[in-house]
Amino acid sequence: MLSESSTFLNTLFSLRYPIGLVILYLGVIIAFAEGLNRLLGTNAEFTRKIVHIGSGNVVLIAWLLQIPSWVLISASFIASIIALISYFLPILPSINSVGRKSLGTFFYALSIGILAQVFWSTGHPQYLVIGILVMAWGDGMAAIIGQKFGQHCYEILGVKKSWEGSLTMMGVSFLVTSLILSWVNLPILTVGIVSLMIAIVAMALEAFSKLGIDNLTVPLGSAVLAFYLVDVLL
């Protein structure tokens, strides 16, 4: 037991710089968004998207630094608890204040933990990165573009969206998936086919976002679909 504890502490100590970098990065993102919201009165939905996009990029840092899956899973658990607390007690308006009841931040954190367990711990981190970045950048940019330029609206089960925002989701999802699959040196045809399918499915999943459930369905759906499509095409 003592030996196991010593091994764990040694492992944790060896990860102090990567973990510290991730914590510092997230702290800067949240502090920046909170500052815009509290000091400058920036729209809470806009600052939430800053956190939404910025925090998603942490998986790239984790990938490059080869942070173990248990760190991501633990961080996901902690972030999920904080998100739930903030949902009931508005301690971080830049994260949860969206003018409507939403568990999106909780689902977002939860999706990282699930994907870390399924893909990161089994040696396929690129699929976690695809799932999270499709959600972070795709959904984030879709909301920004949709709110600013959305003129052609539609509604699904009471959820209103714009075609401008949905097409942005599709385009950004295609770009994100293409970049990641190209990074792992997949054939260009495979990259194109998989990226197009992910873009279409992600757009469809994002169209229904009741209570922020798309923050769970988009990452999981994109990652799992990418994994199986690559497996079939190769």
Side-chain angles (χ1 to χ4, degrees), residues 7-60:
T7 301
F8 174 76
L9 290 175
N10 288 336
T11 301
L12 192 60
F13 185 75
S14 69
L15 292 170
R16 66 190 184 283
Y17 293 122
I19 294 175
L21 180 61
V22 169
I23 293 173
L24 177 62
Y25 171 77
L26 290 175
V28 169
I29 292 294
I30 293 174
F32 177 68
E34 283 294 311
L36 288 177
N37 182 265
R38 295 177 186 271
L39 301 178
L40 300 180
T42 303
N43 181 275
E45 177 68 5
F46 181 76
T47 59
R48 192 181 76 93
K49 289 307 176 183
I50 292 177
V51 175
H52 183 87
I53 294 173
S55 59
N57 293 333
V58 78
V59 298
L60 281 175

Short mmCIF file of all heavy atoms in Angstrom, two decimals, residues 7-60:
data_model
loop_
_atom_site.label_atom_id
_atom_site.label_comp_id
_atom_site.label_asym_id
_atom_site.label_seq_id
_atom_site.Cartn_x
_atom_site.Cartn_y
_atom_site.Cartn_z
N THR A 7 4.18 5.58 -5.51
CA THR A 7 4.15 5.62 -6.97
C THR A 7 3.19 6.68 -7.48
O THR A 7 3.49 7.43 -8.41
CB THR A 7 3.74 4.25 -7.54
OG1 THR A 7 4.68 3.26 -7.11
CG2 THR A 7 3.70 4.27 -9.06
N PHE A 8 2.02 6.75 -6.84
CA PHE A 8 1.02 7.75 -7.24
C PHE A 8 1.55 9.16 -7.03
O PHE A 8 1.41 10.03 -7.90
CB PHE A 8 -0.26 7.55 -6.43
CG PHE A 8 -1.29 8.63 -6.66
CD1 PHE A 8 -2.05 8.66 -7.82
CD2 PHE A 8 -1.48 9.64 -5.71
CE1 PHE A 8 -2.98 9.66 -8.03
CE2 PHE A 8 -2.40 10.64 -5.92
CZ PHE A 8 -3.16 10.65 -7.08
N LEU A 9 2.18 9.40 -5.87
CA LEU A 9 2.71 10.73 -5.58
C LEU A 9 3.83 11.11 -6.55
O LEU A 9 3.92 12.26 -6.98
CB LEU A 9 3.22 10.78 -4.14
CG LEU A 9 2.13 10.73 -3.05
CD1 LEU A 9 2.77 10.68 -1.67
CD2 LEU A 9 1.22 11.95 -3.15
N ASN A 10 4.66 10.13 -6.89
CA ASN A 10 5.74 10.39 -7.85
C ASN A 10 5.18 10.74 -9.22
O ASN A 10 5.68 11.64 -9.92
CB ASN A 10 6.65 9.17 -7.95
CG ASN A 10 7.51 8.99 -6.72
OD1 ASN A 10 7.77 9.94 -5.99
ND2 ASN A 10 7.94 7.76 -6.46
N THR A 11 4.12 10.00 -9.62
CA THR A 11 3.48 10.28 -10.91
C THR A 11 2.87 11.67 -10.92
O THR A 11 3.01 12.43 -11.88
CB THR A 11 2.38 9.24 -11.20
OG1 THR A 11 2.97 7.93 -11.22
CG2 THR A 11 1.72 9.50 -12.54
N LEU A 12 2.18 11.99 -9.82
CA LEU A 12 1.54 13.30 -9.70
C LEU A 12 2.58 14.42 -9.73
O LEU A 12 2.39 15.46 -10.38
CB LEU A 12 0.72 13.38 -8.42
CG LEU A 12 -0.24 14.57 -8.26
CD1 LEU A 12 -1.27 14.57 -9.37
CD2 LEU A 12 -0.91 14.53 -6.89
N PHE A 13 3.70 14.19 -9.06
CA PHE A 13 4.76 15.19 -9.02
C PHE A 13 5.36 15.41 -10.40
O PHE A 13 5.67 16.54 -10.79
CB PHE A 13 5.86 14.75 -8.04
CG PHE A 13 6.95 15.77 -7.86
CD1 PHE A 13 6.73 16.92 -7.10
CD2 PHE A 13 8.19 15.59 -8.44
CE1 PHE A 13 7.73 17.87 -6.93
CE2 PHE A 13 9.20 16.53 -8.28
CZ PHE A 13 8.97 17.68 -7.52
N SER A 14 5.49 14.31 -11.16
CA SER A 14 6.06 14.42 -12.50
C SER A 14 5.15 15.17 -13.46
O SER A 14 5.58 15.68 -14.49
CB SER A 14 6.37 13.03 -13.07
OG SER A 14 5.17 12.31 -13.33
N LEU A 15 3.86 15.23 -13.10
CA LEU A 15 2.88 15.91 -13.96
C LEU A 15 2.59 17.34 -13.50
O LEU A 15 1.68 17.97 -14.03
CB LEU A 15 1.57 15.11 -13.97
CG LEU A 15 1.58 13.75 -14.65
CD1 LEU A 15 0.29 13.00 -14.36
CD2 LEU A 15 1.79 13.89 -16.15
N ARG A 16 3.37 17.82 -12.53
CA ARG A 16 3.05 19.12 -11.95
C ARG A 16 3.09 20.25 -12.98
O ARG A 16 2.24 21.15 -12.93
CB ARG A 16 3.99 19.42 -10.77
CG ARG A 16 5.45 19.62 -11.15
CD ARG A 16 6.32 19.66 -9.90
NE ARG A 16 7.72 19.95 -10.19
CZ ARG A 16 8.59 19.08 -10.68
NH1 ARG A 16 8.18 17.84 -10.94
NH2 ARG A 16 9.85 19.41 -10.89
N TYR A 17 4.02 20.19 -13.91
CA TYR A 17 4.11 21.25 -14.91
C TYR A 17 2.99 21.18 -15.95
O TYR A 17 2.35 22.21 -16.22
CB TYR A 17 5.49 21.23 -15.58
CG TYR A 17 6.61 21.59 -14.64
CD1 TYR A 17 7.67 20.70 -14.42
CD2 TYR A 17 6.62 22.80 -13.95
CE1 TYR A 17 8.71 21.04 -13.54
CE2 TYR A 17 7.64 23.13 -13.07
CZ TYR A 17 8.69 22.24 -12.87
OH TYR A 17 9.71 22.57 -12.01
N PRO A 18 2.73 19.99 -16.53
CA PRO A 18 1.60 19.92 -17.47
C PRO A 18 0.27 20.29 -16.85
O PRO A 18 -0.51 21.05 -17.43
CB PRO A 18 1.61 18.45 -17.93
CG PRO A 18 2.99 17.99 -17.70
CD PRO A 18 3.47 18.72 -16.49
N ILE A 19 0.01 19.75 -15.64
CA ILE A 19 -1.25 20.04 -14.98
C ILE A 19 -1.32 21.52 -14.60
O ILE A 19 -2.36 22.17 -14.74
CB ILE A 19 -1.44 19.16 -13.72
CG1 ILE A 19 -1.60 17.69 -14.14
CG2 ILE A 19 -2.65 19.60 -12.92
CD1 ILE A 19 -1.67 16.73 -12.98
N GLY A 20 -0.19 22.05 -14.13
CA GLY A 20 -0.14 23.47 -13.77
C GLY A 20 -0.41 24.36 -14.97
O GLY A 20 -1.11 25.39 -14.85
N LEU A 21 0.11 23.97 -16.13
CA LEU A 21 -0.12 24.75 -17.35
C LEU A 21 -1.59 24.74 -17.73
O LEU A 21 -2.15 25.78 -18.11
CB LEU A 21 0.73 24.18 -18.49
CG LEU A 21 0.59 24.88 -19.85
CD1 LEU A 21 1.03 26.33 -19.75
CD2 LEU A 21 1.43 24.14 -20.90
N VAL A 22 -2.22 23.58 -17.62
CA VAL A 22 -3.64 23.47 -17.95
C VAL A 22 -4.48 24.32 -17.00
O VAL A 22 -5.39 25.06 -17.43
CB VAL A 22 -4.09 21.99 -17.88
CG1 VAL A 22 -5.62 21.90 -17.95
CG2 VAL A 22 -3.46 21.20 -19.01
N ILE A 23 -4.18 24.23 -15.70
CA ILE A 23 -4.92 25.01 -14.71
C ILE A 23 -4.74 26.50 -14.94
O ILE A 23 -5.70 27.29 -14.87
CB ILE A 23 -4.47 24.63 -13.27
CG1 ILE A 23 -4.89 23.19 -12.96
CG2 ILE A 23 -5.07 25.58 -12.25
CD1 ILE A 23 -4.35 22.67 -11.64
N LEU A 24 -3.51 26.90 -15.23
CA LEU A 24 -3.23 28.31 -15.51
C LEU A 24 -4.00 28.79 -16.73
O LEU A 24 -4.60 29.87 -16.72
CB LEU A 24 -1.74 28.52 -15.73
CG LEU A 24 -1.29 29.95 -16.11
CD1 LEU A 24 -1.63 30.92 -14.99
CD2 LEU A 24 0.20 29.98 -16.42
N TYR A 25 -4.00 27.98 -17.78
CA TYR A 25 -4.71 28.33 -19.01
C TYR A 25 -6.21 28.51 -18.74
O TYR A 25 -6.81 29.52 -19.14
CB TYR A 25 -4.49 27.25 -20.06
CG TYR A 25 -5.36 27.40 -21.29
CD1 TYR A 25 -5.05 28.35 -22.27
CD2 TYR A 25 -6.49 26.62 -21.46
CE1 TYR A 25 -5.85 28.50 -23.39
CE2 TYR A 25 -7.30 26.76 -22.58
CZ TYR A 25 -6.98 27.70 -23.53
OH TYR A 25 -7.79 27.86 -24.63
N LEU A 26 -6.81 27.54 -18.04
CA LEU A 26 -8.24 27.63 -17.74
C LEU A 26 -8.55 28.82 -16.84
O LEU A 26 -9.57 29.50 -17.01
CB LEU A 26 -8.72 26.33 -17.09
CG LEU A 26 -8.77 25.10 -17.98
CD1 LEU A 26 -9.13 23.86 -17.17
CD2 LEU A 26 -9.76 25.29 -19.12
N GLY A 27 -7.66 29.07 -15.88
CA GLY A 27 -7.85 30.20 -14.99
C GLY A 27 -7.85 31.52 -15.73
O GLY A 27 -8.67 32.41 -15.46
N VAL A 28 -6.95 31.66 -16.69
CA VAL A 28 -6.87 32.88 -17.49
C VAL A 28 -8.14 33.06 -18.33
O VAL A 28 -8.69 34.17 -18.42
CB VAL A 28 -5.62 32.85 -18.40
CG1 VAL A 28 -5.68 33.99 -19.42
CG2 VAL A 28 -4.36 32.96 -17.57
N ILE A 29 -8.60 31.96 -18.94
CA ILE A 29 -9.81 32.04 -19.77
C ILE A 29 -11.02 32.47 -18.94
O ILE A 29 -11.78 33.38 -19.32
CB ILE A 29 -10.10 30.66 -20.42
CG1 ILE A 29 -9.04 30.32 -21.45
CG2 ILE A 29 -11.50 30.66 -21.06
CD1 ILE A 29 -9.03 31.23 -22.66
N ILE A 30 -11.20 31.84 -17.78
CA ILE A 30 -12.36 32.16 -16.93
C ILE A 30 -12.24 33.57 -16.37
O ILE A 30 -13.21 34.33 -16.33
CB ILE A 30 -12.49 31.13 -15.80
CG1 ILE A 30 -12.85 29.75 -16.39
CG2 ILE A 30 -13.57 31.55 -14.80
CD1 ILE A 30 -12.88 28.63 -15.37
N ALA A 31 -11.04 33.94 -15.92
CA ALA A 31 -10.83 35.28 -15.37
C ALA A 31 -11.10 36.35 -16.42
O ALA A 31 -11.70 37.40 -16.13
CB ALA A 31 -9.41 35.40 -14.82
N PHE A 32 -10.65 36.11 -17.64
CA PHE A 32 -10.87 37.05 -18.73
C PHE A 32 -12.36 37.23 -19.00
O PHE A 32 -12.87 38.36 -19.14
CB PHE A 32 -10.16 36.56 -19.99
CG PHE A 32 -10.38 37.43 -21.20
CD1 PHE A 32 -9.85 38.71 -21.26
CD2 PHE A 32 -11.12 36.96 -22.28
CE1 PHE A 32 -10.05 39.52 -22.38
CE2 PHE A 32 -11.32 37.75 -23.40
CZ PHE A 32 -10.78 39.04 -23.45
N ALA A 33 -13.08 36.10 -19.07
CA ALA A 33 -14.52 36.15 -19.33
C ALA A 33 -15.26 36.82 -18.18
O ALA A 33 -16.17 37.64 -18.40
CB ALA A 33 -15.06 34.74 -19.56
N GLU A 34 -14.89 36.49 -16.94
CA GLU A 34 -15.52 37.11 -15.78
C GLU A 34 -15.26 38.61 -15.75
O GLU A 34 -16.13 39.40 -15.40
CB GLU A 34 -15.00 36.46 -14.49
CG GLU A 34 -15.61 35.10 -14.20
CD GLU A 34 -17.09 35.19 -13.90
OE1 GLU A 34 -17.50 36.03 -13.08
OE2 GLU A 34 -17.85 34.41 -14.50
N GLY A 35 -14.04 39.00 -16.12
CA GLY A 35 -13.71 40.41 -16.15
C GLY A 35 -14.56 41.17 -17.16
O GLY A 35 -15.05 42.27 -16.87
N LEU A 36 -14.73 40.58 -18.34
CA LEU A 36 -15.58 41.21 -19.36
C LEU A 36 -17.01 41.35 -18.86
O LEU A 36 -17.67 42.38 -19.08
CB LEU A 36 -15.56 40.37 -20.65
CG LEU A 36 -14.28 40.39 -21.48
CD1 LEU A 36 -14.42 39.45 -22.67
CD2 LEU A 36 -13.95 41.80 -21.95
N ASN A 37 -17.48 40.30 -18.18
CA ASN A 37 -18.87 40.29 -17.72
C ASN A 37 -19.11 41.24 -16.56
O ASN A 37 -20.06 42.03 -16.56
CB ASN A 37 -19.27 38.86 -17.32
CG ASN A 37 -20.72 38.76 -16.88
OD1 ASN A 37 -21.01 38.82 -15.70
ND2 ASN A 37 -21.61 38.63 -17.84
N ARG A 38 -18.24 41.20 -15.57
CA ARG A 38 -18.46 41.98 -14.34
C ARG A 38 -17.99 43.43 -14.46
O ARG A 38 -18.63 44.34 -13.92
CB ARG A 38 -17.74 41.31 -13.16
CG ARG A 38 -18.30 39.93 -12.79
CD ARG A 38 -17.48 39.31 -11.66
NE ARG A 38 -17.89 37.93 -11.36
CZ ARG A 38 -18.85 37.60 -10.51
NH1 ARG A 38 -19.49 38.56 -9.86
NH2 ARG A 38 -19.15 36.33 -10.29
N LEU A 39 -16.88 43.66 -15.13
CA LEU A 39 -16.29 44.99 -15.17
C LEU A 39 -16.76 45.82 -16.36
O LEU A 39 -16.95 47.03 -16.25
CB LEU A 39 -14.76 44.89 -15.18
CG LEU A 39 -14.13 44.16 -13.98
CD1 LEU A 39 -12.62 44.10 -14.14
CD2 LEU A 39 -14.51 44.87 -12.68
N LEU A 40 -16.94 45.16 -17.50
CA LEU A 40 -17.31 45.90 -18.71
C LEU A 40 -18.77 45.70 -19.11
O LEU A 40 -19.25 46.32 -20.06
CB LEU A 40 -16.39 45.49 -19.87
CG LEU A 40 -14.89 45.75 -19.66
CD1 LEU A 40 -14.10 45.30 -20.89
CD2 LEU A 40 -14.63 47.22 -19.37
N GLY A 41 -19.45 44.79 -18.40
CA GLY A 41 -20.87 44.56 -18.70
C GLY A 41 -21.11 43.86 -20.02
O GLY A 41 -22.18 44.00 -20.61
N THR A 42 -20.11 43.10 -20.49
CA THR A 42 -20.25 42.37 -21.75
C THR A 42 -21.36 41.34 -21.62
O THR A 42 -21.53 40.72 -20.57
CB THR A 42 -18.93 41.67 -22.11
OG1 THR A 42 -17.90 42.64 -22.17
CG2 THR A 42 -19.04 40.97 -23.45
N ASN A 43 -22.12 41.17 -22.69
CA ASN A 43 -23.22 40.21 -22.71
C ASN A 43 -22.78 38.85 -22.19
O ASN A 43 -21.77 38.31 -22.63
CB ASN A 43 -23.75 40.08 -24.15
CG ASN A 43 -24.92 39.13 -24.24
OD1 ASN A 43 -24.73 37.93 -24.36
ND2 ASN A 43 -26.12 39.67 -24.17
N ALA A 44 -23.53 38.29 -21.24
CA ALA A 44 -23.15 37.04 -20.59
C ALA A 44 -23.09 35.87 -21.57
O ALA A 44 -22.28 34.96 -21.41
CB ALA A 44 -24.13 36.71 -19.45
N GLU A 45 -23.95 35.90 -22.57
CA GLU A 45 -23.93 34.82 -23.56
C GLU A 45 -22.62 34.83 -24.35
O GLU A 45 -22.06 33.78 -24.66
CB GLU A 45 -25.12 34.95 -24.50
CG GLU A 45 -25.16 33.92 -25.63
CD GLU A 45 -25.43 32.50 -25.14
OE1 GLU A 45 -25.68 32.31 -23.93
OE2 GLU A 45 -25.37 31.57 -25.97
N PHE A 46 -22.12 36.03 -24.65
CA PHE A 46 -20.87 36.14 -25.40
C PHE A 46 -19.69 35.66 -24.55
O PHE A 46 -18.82 34.93 -25.02
CB PHE A 46 -20.64 37.58 -25.85
CG PHE A 46 -19.38 37.77 -26.64
CD1 PHE A 46 -19.31 37.36 -27.96
CD2 PHE A 46 -18.26 38.34 -26.06
CE1 PHE A 46 -18.14 37.52 -28.70
CE2 PHE A 46 -17.08 38.50 -26.78
CZ PHE A 46 -17.03 38.09 -28.11
N THR A 47 -19.65 36.07 -23.27
CA THR A 47 -18.55 35.64 -22.41
C THR A 47 -18.61 34.14 -22.15
O THR A 47 -17.57 33.49 -21.99
CB THR A 47 -18.56 36.40 -21.07
OG1 THR A 47 -19.80 36.18 -20.39
CG2 THR A 47 -18.37 37.88 -21.29
N ARG A 48 -19.82 33.60 -22.12
CA ARG A 48 -19.94 32.15 -21.94
C ARG A 48 -19.33 31.42 -23.13
O ARG A 48 -18.72 30.36 -22.98
CB ARG A 48 -21.42 31.75 -21.78
CG ARG A 48 -21.60 30.30 -21.31
CD ARG A 48 -23.08 29.96 -21.20
NE ARG A 48 -23.66 29.73 -22.51
CZ ARG A 48 -23.74 28.53 -23.08
NH1 ARG A 48 -23.26 27.47 -22.48
NH2 ARG A 48 -24.29 28.40 -24.27
N LYS A 49 -19.50 31.98 -24.32
CA LYS A 49 -18.93 31.35 -25.50
C LYS A 49 -17.41 31.45 -25.52
O LYS A 49 -16.72 30.58 -26.06
CB LYS A 49 -19.52 31.96 -26.78
CG LYS A 49 -20.98 31.56 -27.00
CD LYS A 49 -21.17 30.05 -26.96
CE LYS A 49 -22.62 29.66 -27.08
NZ LYS A 49 -22.81 28.19 -26.96
N ILE A 50 -16.87 32.51 -24.92
CA ILE A 50 -15.42 32.61 -24.78
C ILE A 50 -14.90 31.46 -23.94
O ILE A 50 -13.91 30.79 -24.28
CB ILE A 50 -15.02 33.96 -24.13
CG1 ILE A 50 -15.33 35.12 -25.09
CG2 ILE A 50 -13.54 33.96 -23.74
CD1 ILE A 50 -15.04 36.48 -24.49
N VAL A 51 -15.57 31.20 -22.82
CA VAL A 51 -15.19 30.08 -21.96
C VAL A 51 -15.43 28.77 -22.67
O VAL A 51 -14.61 27.84 -22.60
CB VAL A 51 -15.99 30.13 -20.63
CG1 VAL A 51 -15.67 28.90 -19.78
CG2 VAL A 51 -15.67 31.40 -19.86
N HIS A 52 -16.54 28.67 -23.37
CA HIS A 52 -16.92 27.46 -24.09
C HIS A 52 -15.84 27.07 -25.11
O HIS A 52 -15.39 25.92 -25.14
CB HIS A 52 -18.25 27.71 -24.81
CG HIS A 52 -18.79 26.52 -25.54
ND1 HIS A 52 -19.59 25.58 -24.93
CD2 HIS A 52 -18.66 26.13 -26.83
CE1 HIS A 52 -19.93 24.66 -25.82
NE2 HIS A 52 -19.37 24.98 -26.98
N ILE A 53 -15.42 28.02 -25.92
CA ILE A 53 -14.40 27.75 -26.94
C ILE A 53 -13.03 27.58 -26.30
O ILE A 53 -12.29 26.64 -26.60
CB ILE A 53 -14.37 28.88 -27.99
CG1 ILE A 53 -15.68 28.91 -28.78
CG2 ILE A 53 -13.19 28.69 -28.94
CD1 ILE A 53 -15.82 30.10 -29.73
N GLY A 54 -12.69 28.50 -25.42
CA GLY A 54 -11.36 28.48 -24.81
C GLY A 54 -11.10 27.23 -24.00
O GLY A 54 -10.01 26.63 -24.08
N SER A 55 -12.07 26.80 -23.20
CA SER A 55 -11.88 25.62 -22.36
C SER A 55 -11.77 24.35 -23.19
O SER A 55 -11.10 23.39 -22.80
CB SER A 55 -13.00 25.50 -21.34
OG SER A 55 -14.27 25.39 -21.98
N GLY A 56 -12.43 24.34 -24.34
CA GLY A 56 -12.34 23.16 -25.20
C GLY A 56 -10.93 22.93 -25.70
O GLY A 56 -10.49 21.78 -25.88
N ASN A 57 -10.18 24.01 -25.89
CA ASN A 57 -8.82 23.88 -26.39
C ASN A 57 -7.88 23.18 -25.43
O ASN A 57 -6.77 22.80 -25.81
CB ASN A 57 -8.26 25.27 -26.72
CG ASN A 57 -8.98 25.92 -27.88
OD1 ASN A 57 -9.51 25.24 -28.76
ND2 ASN A 57 -9.00 27.24 -27.90
N VAL A 58 -8.32 23.00 -24.19
CA VAL A 58 -7.47 22.35 -23.20
C VAL A 58 -7.15 20.91 -23.59
O VAL A 58 -6.10 20.36 -23.21
CB VAL A 58 -8.13 22.41 -21.80
CG1 VAL A 58 -9.23 21.36 -21.67
CG2 VAL A 58 -7.09 22.20 -20.71
N VAL A 59 -8.03 20.29 -24.39
CA VAL A 59 -7.76 18.90 -24.80
C VAL A 59 -6.58 18.84 -25.76
O VAL A 59 -5.87 17.82 -25.81
CB VAL A 59 -9.00 18.24 -25.43
CG1 VAL A 59 -10.14 18.17 -24.42
CG2 VAL A 59 -9.45 18.97 -26.69
N LEU A 60 -6.34 19.92 -26.50
CA LEU A 60 -5.16 19.97 -27.37
C LEU A 60 -3.89 20.02 -26.53
O LEU A 60 -2.89 19.35 -26.83
CB LEU A 60 -5.23 21.18 -28.28
CG LEU A 60 -6.12 21.08 -29.52
CD1 LEU A 60 -6.14 22.42 -30.25
CD2 LEU A 60 -5.65 19.98 -30.44
#
